[in-house]
Amino acid sequence: MFKSFATLLALVSALTLSSCTSGEPNPNASETLQQKDSLVLYSGRSEELVQPLIEMFEQESGITVEVRYAGSAELAAQLLEEGENSPADVFFSQDAGALGAVSKAGLFSTIPSELTSQVDKQYSATDGSWVGVSGRARILVYNTAKVSDLPVSVFDLAKPEWKNRIAIAPTNASFQSFVTAMRVVEGEAATTSWLEAMKSNAVIFEKNDAILNAVEQGVVDAGLINHYYWFAKAKEIGKDKMKSKLAAFESNDLGNLVNVAGAGIISDNSASRAFVDFLLSNKAQTFFAEQTAEYPLVAGIDIVEGLTPLTDVRNPKVDLSDLDTLDETLELIRAAGLI
Amino acid sequence: MLMQIKDLSLNYGDQVVLNNLNLDVNQGELTAVLGASGAGKSTLLRLIAGFESPTSGEIFIDSKLVSDSKDVVAPEKRGVGIVPQDSALFSHLTVSQNIGFGLPKGSDARINELLNLVGLSEYADRKPASLSGGQAQRVALARALAPRPKLILLDEPFSALDAELRARLREDVRRVLRAENATAILVTHDQEEALSLADRVAILRDGKIIQSGSPTEIYNSPVDLGIATFLGDSILVDGHVEDGKIITALGKITPLNKVSEGQVGVAAIRSENFYLQPNPSGDSEVIGRVFFGHDAVVEVQTPKLKIRARSNGPFAPEVGMKVTVWVRGAVNFYPSS
Amino acid sequence: MRKPPALLKALGIVAALAALIPVGYLFFRLGAGSEKAIEELFRSRTIELLFNTTLLVVSVTLTALVIGFLQAWLTTRTNLGFGALFAVLATLPLAIPSYVMAFSFTATFPSISGFWPSWLVLSLATSPYVFLAVSAALVRTDASSEEVARTLGLTKWQVLVRVTWPQVRPAATASSLLVALYTLSEFGAIAILRFDTFTRAIYNAYRLSFDRTAAAALAVVLVLLTLVVIWFERRYRGDYLSISPASQKRVRISLGKARPLAVTGLLFIAVVAVGIPLYSLVNWSIIGSSTADLSQILEALLGSVSLAVLAGVAITVFALAIALWIVRYPTKLGRFVELSVWANHALPAIVVALALIFLGANLFPWLYQTTALLIFAFLILFLPNALGTMTTPIAQVPKSLEDVANSLGVKGNRSIFKVVLPIAAPGILAGAALVALTVLKELPATLLLRPTGTETLAVRLWSATEELAFSQAAPYALLLVVLGGLPALALNRQARKALSEVGK
């Protein structure tokens, strides 16, 4: 029976093989832009967050939007499988990594420079295939009752005194982006030794919010998270009830890395451009700042109370476009035994 | 005495199943407990086997108390084997594994002995699913006998089989039990089975044993009308005692039991007590006949009542013939209370 | 022997081909980068994954088997007391998605992670499969052979091992197969509890490095593991034994001094498997500002129910066709169809979903992102669940009944509709309920394949937790558990039906 099973298997794979089209790079923006009054959006950002924004956009532009919500990585995988035949017009991703993967497969159209120019270059793709929309900073969260001596650099966390006191989420994309930055800036050897130190010092979590909860409950003393988780939690339970605080590392420290959520255009048409334009509008930028406590990436927008301005975040000089080499980072994280 | 049951009662809530039942079973004997369905026969066996505990009363095996209302010796410690109605073989084991189930490892000799005894040697490696009903019962019997229990319980073991097989298997069971010198209790609703097979018969009715004795005693002297009609085909005829004889519509009949002058009651006449004399001027007429080969049951309309008579098969009178009805031998007379 | 009706064959072959799509897709992906795939496989990490996966599958399967078997035996055969209540408690974990259970555990004990909690959560989440199958088998088997065994000198514990177990072994091993494959394909709970298995590695390959070749290489190993598990099950299942009607009056086995221990044990399991998740869900709902919108909840509820019903009906039709085929007209082709249906049951839902995305977007755009394609994915994913539940009741309808029906003038194969299906109906409905329940809980394939805008409770639950708002997730999770409780209770009733008919 296994024999006939194998035969059929071969048959099916042959069938799928012959029917597949190889992925050629997308031709860049056509001469005459296609006019459309409807839009299919793949959103890796959640419905709770994005839906009010969509409604605003629909009212303003008269364009109807169909949104497909799922995880950014899952949507990127979906886009890769769909290839040329994707029904999507725009991909709105939670992080730069998923955008990079789609960009590498040549599935994005180049975004017009009048749009990309609104955002500081360091927060968009160098080739203009995607644009940053909002930013988040890596930061240290610590339980005020348990930590008095704050680390100066993220490398201090590798010291023995932090054994079993620091929480990280190695499978989380933001953490991996941060390690990628470390790899790009400090090299593989330094990164590996930091990761190995984490193997013995760190308590492992799956997600940032789990780290924050654990720090709040005093299960671990401190953790590496994105800044906005703290503001969301503070909003949910009240700022005065928070048992933890945020602390940035020293100037230019990798621990302060700012990563972005961004958008790329799959099918270049008037509606797609209008939507990206809207994401960069004052209204949308203010919305992100207020709803998620993220950093607006377009200049001149107010940020949430208590948050250090983006220009004052002593951010390391890292090109986010270099952070699409997640594979190699994962190798290091795996080799260190963290995932 | 191997087993003794004293004043055994079992109630399920308000429902009385057994009511002060007493029963003795002697070593090496086969005792049949005869009762209608629902009389509590199977429950009695379950109590003896230790699956249920009595509401009151005691059960002794080998003079040792094994059940009372407080304490019940576990089934595996009583030395009582059981052959259930549906044989209940272990369907995942072969015939010889079934027989050897209660034996220590390495008891092949005993298994073979029993396989021979029940005539199933060539089926040793079969699975129960491939056995006929009669074969399955033989395996069940061999399995129960294998560890040489003190007592074997047979729960209507022949009821699911057809008539011919039943008769043959009965003989086999009798033979096997004798060969093993086993003490056994058979419960059944079939009086023929009980009478032909058992050394002693105990009649269970309304949750108690109302009569026990040898098959002949039971058959010849049922203690009441109910048993009389239950055991064998009896015709009930009103009568009274006059000069030591019973005067009935069928004439004067000799009483089998003790009667007193002037008593009024009912005579129970068995079908084999009738003799039909062909007589063209007789006052009775044959109105039906069921032929069994070796004998026949003939239905006769007498001037006053309808009777059934057992007659020698080939010579039985035919339907429509005129006959004179005689009663042979003595019959039991039950005075009205 | 009669020939299988053409309709059965057609449905069966369609299902088998559907089942082979994901496997075919994997080989296609491997073909596109075979060198890289081989490199991926020959790394020490693969050995580690193999070890972890095997460890988890074996330990979870054995634990679920022991828990489910004991629950079934205690509630159907002994004087435990509160049998019906404990049976419901043993079934309820089925209504709790394993990711919800895992989440509630980490919410209650934030520091847990790794093998032990993964083992615990999955064992508790899957033991109902064993419990239901073994309960049904115990209720059907004849208790009198167990009593005979007592008279042959066995204690009640020896009877449990030497007589009761062999009788329910086919049901127990068949349900263990479901447990093993469930564990192989589980992602949500393991991701939350952070234990590295093949499935987690496959998800990570897709989600973190967008590496489809590596994912495919790992997934092919998973398929091979599945075949090994199926082979083991076939080998150790034993023959289905003829079932004698349970006419005997049952007297419940007295547990004696072990009774308080048994009650405590079952209560403990119920508290951990049902109590902690429910407590945690209720807690989430109370803490924080629960602002769930009623119309959104209703929309998601409607979406979940309609998908579950549609998938339940569609999968039942296919499962019935295959079950009838393999039971009534055993042919080589039929067995092959059955094997292929099972072969990809351990594949993570994301692999099946991506295979259908690839096929749908590029070959059948008119089907892509439609409910039909989503139901098709559910068919591939959950047909084995239905098949496992429905085959036994159909096999138990005596063949002679069909002959009787034919002799009474029912034409040929129409006896299936006149006799077999009506008699097996309760078991068939149970299978449909199980499928509906599984579809209710499904997330990854729903998320990727649903028509844009279709909402289900599981999708809502996911999107609420994505944004950190546990309090908003709680109503969806609670509703999902309550909704899932209905088919779970129906399954429990079905499994224990004969019990009330036979008496106390």
Side-chain angles (χ1 to χ4, degrees), chain C residues 21-72:
Chain C
I21 289 174
V23 185
Y25 161 83
L26 288 178
F27 277 96
F28 164 67
R29 279 280 164 245
L30 282 186
S34 49
E35 266 175 47
K36 212 179 156 199
I38 290 167
E39 194 186 310
E40 173 74 26
L41 285 183
F42 287 89
R43 299 190 323 165
S44 59
R45 181 174 148 76
T46 310
I47 305 292
E48 189 193 327
L49 287 177
L50 195 62
F51 174 78
N52 281 355
T53 308
T54 311
L55 178 69
L56 191 68
V57 167
V58 170
S59 62
V60 166
T61 306
L62 289 180
T63 313
L65 186 61
V66 170
I67 293 179
F69 179 81
L70 283 180
Q71 284 171 330

Side-chain angles (χ1 to χ4, degrees), chain C residues 60-97:
Chain C
V60 166
T61 306
L62 289 180
T63 313
L65 186 61
V66 170
I67 293 179
F69 179 81
L70 283 180
Q71 284 171 330
W73 182 74
L74 287 169
T75 56
T76 58
R77 283 285 160 89
T78 70
N79 67 341
L80 178 78
F82 308 105
L85 173 71
F86 278 117
V88 167
L89 288 176
T91 318
L92 273 186
L94 210 54
I96 303 171

Side-chain angles (χ1 to χ4, degrees), chain A residues 26 29-30 33-42 54 57 61-66 79 86-92 107-112 114-116 118 129-131 133 262-281:
Chain A
N26 216 14
S30 50
L33 189 69
Q34 190 198 353
Q35 297 298 307
K36 269 183 86 177
D37 56 2
S38 68
L39 176 84
V40 176
L41 173 69
Y42 279 16
I54 301 295
F57 172 69
S61 65
I63 295 171
T64 44
V65 184
E66 230 183 279
L79 285 165
S86 175
D89 292 302
V90 175
F91 176 32
F92 186 20
L107 296 170
F108 281 138
S109 298
T110 308
I111 299 174
E114 64 263 32
L115 294 179
T116 47
Q118 297 177 40
S129 61
W130 56 266
V131 62
V133 172
I265 293 177
I266 304 281
S267 166
D268 195 15
N269 55 51
S270 62
S272 301
R273 288 189 186 186
F275 185 71
V276 174
D277 187 34
F278 172 76
L279 287 178
L280 301 174
S281 67

Side-chain angles (χ1 to χ4, degrees), chain C residues 246-314:
Chain C
S247 56
Q248 280 284 328
K249 198 173 77 158
R250 289 158 197 282
V251 167
R252 287 175 172 274
I253 296 160
S254 170
L255 290 171
K257 289 177 197 116
R259 192 167 159 231
L261 187 74
V263 170
T264 316
L266 290 190
L267 269 181
F268 178 73
I269 290 173
V271 164
V272 178
V274 183
I276 291 181
L278 284 182
Y279 166 81
S280 185
L281 286 185
V282 171
N283 234 13
W284 286 354
S285 309
I286 296 168
I287 300 171
S289 46
S290 181
T291 54
D293 178 346
L294 190 66
S295 70
Q296 275 186 343
I297 292 183
L298 284 178
E299 191 197 347
L301 184 67
L302 194 68
S304 279
V305 170
S306 49
L307 275 183
V309 169
L310 275 176
V313 171

Side-chain angles (χ1 to χ4, degrees), chain B residues 69-85:
Chain B
S69 59
K70 289 181 215 84
D71 208 8
V72 173
V73 173
E76 66 268 24
K77 292 183 184 141
R78 295 165 88 98
V80 174
I82 193 163
V83 180
Q85 201 166 349

Side-chain angles (χ1 to χ4, degrees), chain A residues 78-154:
Chain A
Q78 181 158 21
L79 285 165
L80 295 182
E81 292 300 344
E82 290 170 346
E84 301 296 297
N85 295 310
S86 175
D89 292 302
V90 175
F91 176 32
F92 186 20
S93 169
Q94 177 83 357
D95 56 74
L99 291 166
V102 177
S103 170
K104 260 195 205 166
L107 296 170
F108 281 138
S109 298
T110 308
I111 299 174
S113 57
E114 64 263 32
L115 294 179
T116 47
S117 62
Q118 297 177 40
V119 174
D120 190 334
K121 255 196 294 198
Q122 61 170 319
Y123 300 123
S124 290
T126 40
D127 63 356
S129 61
W130 56 266
V131 62
V133 172
S134 58
R136 51 185 179 264
R138 294 296 295 173
I139 205 154
L140 183 83
V141 61
Y142 65 97
N143 189 303
T144 46
K146 304 222 170 183
V147 180
S148 46
D149 264 352
L150 285 172
V152 176
S153 160
V154 77

